[in-house]
């Protein structure tokens, strides 16, 4: 249920209603909007609870939240969430561009990429130190050394670092270095990891599982929000279909669909979504045209020798050209990089 307070309801009335919600055994989640305050009351709803809350001081109405996800839903919060993290702003009219190598391979490779993507206008640096690989025989990432290299790249360029955490037990370590914690597609439904990442106090980029529905993605986001973390970015990175010409199938429609249901910003990853360098620039442009709040793009100094995902990585030159294209589309749809 959502307890919608009247315009001008006092702080005391809001506090009173939070206590009432909690006395009924429900979890409260308060959202101070620009026009009015709403209190989401989460838990098993009973009709008599609804009636009792409705007669509280300063209450305008109590309405049921129809969506299975609650705190993530537009019903609870109408204003779009904007995630700010240093030079990275994602949401509403802000388009964030998170670019960098799939994996941190060496200091030289990561620093060169960080300098190049910054010069071309990226607003955050990505790079995996802990890599979730399909095969146990593939490169697993530099781990701790990779985190240190990312920190060095941040120190030099000022770009905030987006890096993946693959296990709940690694959250304190990764959060000590990262500015944004990435939860990978394979871990979207690792609920202990979502809770730990949510509690770490850093923004979280949550990637859609390749076979997860959008409702499941939003319910996964709900775990992070319920840990008290409002800074959640959803990421469409493609799903598994019968199509084999692209690595995954990238549904651009996810962007407007999610925008119609959630206040959370939506990032699109055309690198994993297509799996082919040649398809990335135009798919990135399509995502921005569809209203994406951010892009995640893999960039490598020499894709041919990359230890992971070289076939979908942009060279520095290709990244520059992609940025030029993105700028034109962003302007047309009222977004600013
Ligand atoms: C990545 O971003 O490098 C990655 C592993 O992506 P995903 O979790 O979407 O496969
Ligand atoms: Mn990758």
């Amino acid at each position: 249920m959502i307890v919608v307070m009247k315009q001008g309801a006092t702080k005391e009335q809001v506090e009173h209603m939070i206590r009432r919600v909690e006395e009924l055994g429900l979890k409260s989640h308060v959202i101070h909007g620009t026009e009015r305050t709403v209190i989401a009351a989460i838990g098993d709803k009973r009709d008599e609870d609804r009636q009792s809350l409705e007669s509280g001081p300063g209450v305008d109405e109590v309405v049921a939240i129809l969506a299975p996800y609650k705190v993530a839903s537009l019903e609870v919060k109408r204003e779009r969430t904007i995630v700010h993290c240093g030079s990275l702003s994602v949401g509403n009219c802000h388009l964030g561009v998170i670019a960098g190598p799939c994996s941190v391979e060496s200091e030289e490779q990561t620093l060169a990429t960080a300098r190049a993507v910054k010069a071309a206008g990226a607003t955050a640096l990505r790079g995996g130190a802990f890599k979730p690989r399909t095969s146990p025989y593939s490169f697993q990432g530099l781990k701790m050394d990779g985190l240190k290299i990312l920190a060095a790249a941040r120190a030099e360029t000022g770009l905030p670092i987006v890096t993946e955490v693959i296990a709940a037990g690694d959250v304190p370590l990764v959060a000590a270095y990262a500015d944004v914690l990435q939860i990978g597609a394979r871990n979207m439904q690792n609920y202990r990891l979502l809770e730990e990442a949510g509690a770490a106090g850093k923004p979280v980029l949550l990637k859609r599982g390749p076979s997860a529905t959008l409702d499941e993605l939003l319910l996964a986001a709900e775990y992070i929000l319920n840990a008290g973390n409002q800074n959640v970015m959803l990421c469409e990175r493609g799903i598994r279909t019968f199509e084999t010409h692209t690595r995954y199938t990238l549904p651009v429609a996810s962007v407007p669909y999610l925008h119609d249901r959630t206040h959370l910003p939506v990032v699109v990853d055309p690198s994993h979504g297509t799996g082919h360098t040649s398809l990335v620039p135009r798919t990135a442009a399509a995502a921005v045209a569809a209203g994406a709040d951010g892009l995640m793009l893999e960039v490598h100094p020499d894709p041919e020798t990359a230890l992971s995902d070289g076939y979908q990585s942009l060279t520095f030159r290709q990244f520059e050209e992609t940025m030029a294209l993105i700028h034109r589309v962003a302007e047309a749809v009222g977004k600013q990089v």
Side-chain angles (χ1 to χ4, degrees), residues 239-262:
I239 52 173
R240 182 154 276 174
T241 68
F242 54 82
E243 180 57 72
T244 53
H245 291 94
T246 50
R247 184 179 178 188
Y248 293 96
T249 295
L250 187 72
V252 175
S254 299
V255 178
Y257 180 92
L258 289 167
H259 279 158
D260 284 350
R261 284 160 184 84
T262 180

Side-chain angles (χ1 to χ4, degrees), residues 184-253:
R186 290 156 189 81
N187 267 316
M188 189 202 87
Q189 288 177 311
N190 181 341
Y191 301 116
R192 294 294 81 76
L193 175 59
L194 298 176
E195 287 169 345
E196 288 296 316
K202 296 273 166 101
V204 176
L205 179 99
L206 175 65
K207 292 188 123 188
R208 178 186 189 178
S211 56
T213 65
L214 291 173
D215 268 9
E216 287 165 343
L217 172 63
L218 288 162
L219 284 164
E222 195 85 2
Y223 276 88
I224 303 166
L225 294 164
N226 280 342
N229 190 337
Q230 304 310 297
N231 292 313
V232 180
M233 295 168 262
L234 305 170
C235 180
E236 174 57 83
R237 47 77 75 207
I239 52 173
R240 182 154 276 174
T241 68
F242 54 82
E243 180 57 72
T244 53
H245 291 94
T246 50
R247 184 179 178 188
Y248 293 96
T249 295
L250 187 72
V252 175

Side-chain angles (χ1 to χ4, degrees), residues 21-255:
V21 164
E22 287 170 1
E23 277 162 19
L24 293 170
L26 302 167
K27 192 169 182 304
S28 68
H29 184 90
V30 188
I31 292 134
H32 299 283
T34 44
E35 291 195 356
R36 48 170 106 199
T37 298
V38 302
I39 305 164
I42 295 153
D44 271 349
K45 65 171 191 299
R46 297 180 313 162
D47 215 40
E48 55 272 32
D49 291 346
R50 196 181 70 79
Q51 286 162 11
S52 139
L53 291 172
E54 207 152 41
S55 54
V59 175
D60 189 9
E61 57 176 345
V62 177
V63 288
I65 308 172
L66 298 175
Y69 38 88
K70 309 296 175 192
V71 185
S73 83
L74 261 189
E75 296 171 79
V76 167
K77 180 170 177 262
R78 298 215 161 271
E79 290 100 37
R80 301 252 157 232
T81 294
I82 305 173
V83 176
H84 292 290
C85 180
S87 55
L88 178 69
S89 290
V90 177
N92 212 15
C93 55
H94 302 279
L95 178 72
V97 179
I98 305 163
C102 177
S103 302
V104 175
E105 298 168 6
S106 69
E107 182 156 331
E108 194 189 5
Q109 168 249 16
T110 302
L111 262 71
T113 310
R115 288 181 201 120
V117 299
K118 163 130 192 197
T123 54
L125 177 69
R126 64 148 288 147
F130 290 87
K131 292 304 299 177
R133 302 305 300 278
T134 303
S135 164
Y137 309 116
S138 301
F139 176 58
Q140 301 289 310
L142 296 181
K143 305 190 170 102
M144 181 72 190
D145 289 342
L147 295 174
K148 288 185 179 155
I149 292 171
L150 287 168
R154 171 180 49 211
E156 190 190 308
T157 60
L159 289 174
I161 301 300
V162 181
T163 196
E164 181 164 352
V165 55
I166 60 177
D170 292 343
V171 169
L173 171 70
V174 179
Y177 287 87
D179 298 294
V180 174
L181 294 173
Q182 176 175 328
I183 305 281
R186 290 156 189 81
N187 267 316
M188 189 202 87
Q189 288 177 311
N190 181 341
Y191 301 116
R192 294 294 81 76
L193 175 59
L194 298 176
E195 287 169 345
E196 288 296 316
K202 296 273 166 101
V204 176
L205 179 99
L206 175 65
K207 292 188 123 188
R208 178 186 189 178
S211 56
T213 65
L214 291 173
D215 268 9
E216 287 165 343
L217 172 63
L218 288 162
L219 284 164
E222 195 85 2
Y223 276 88
I224 303 166
L225 294 164
N226 280 342
N229 190 337
Q230 304 310 297
N231 292 313
V232 180
M233 295 168 262
L234 305 170
C235 180
E236 174 57 83
R237 47 77 75 207
I239 52 173
R240 182 154 276 174
T241 68
F242 54 82
E243 180 57 72
T244 53
H245 291 94
T246 50
R247 184 179 178 188
Y248 293 96
T249 295
L250 187 72
V252 175
S254 299
V255 178

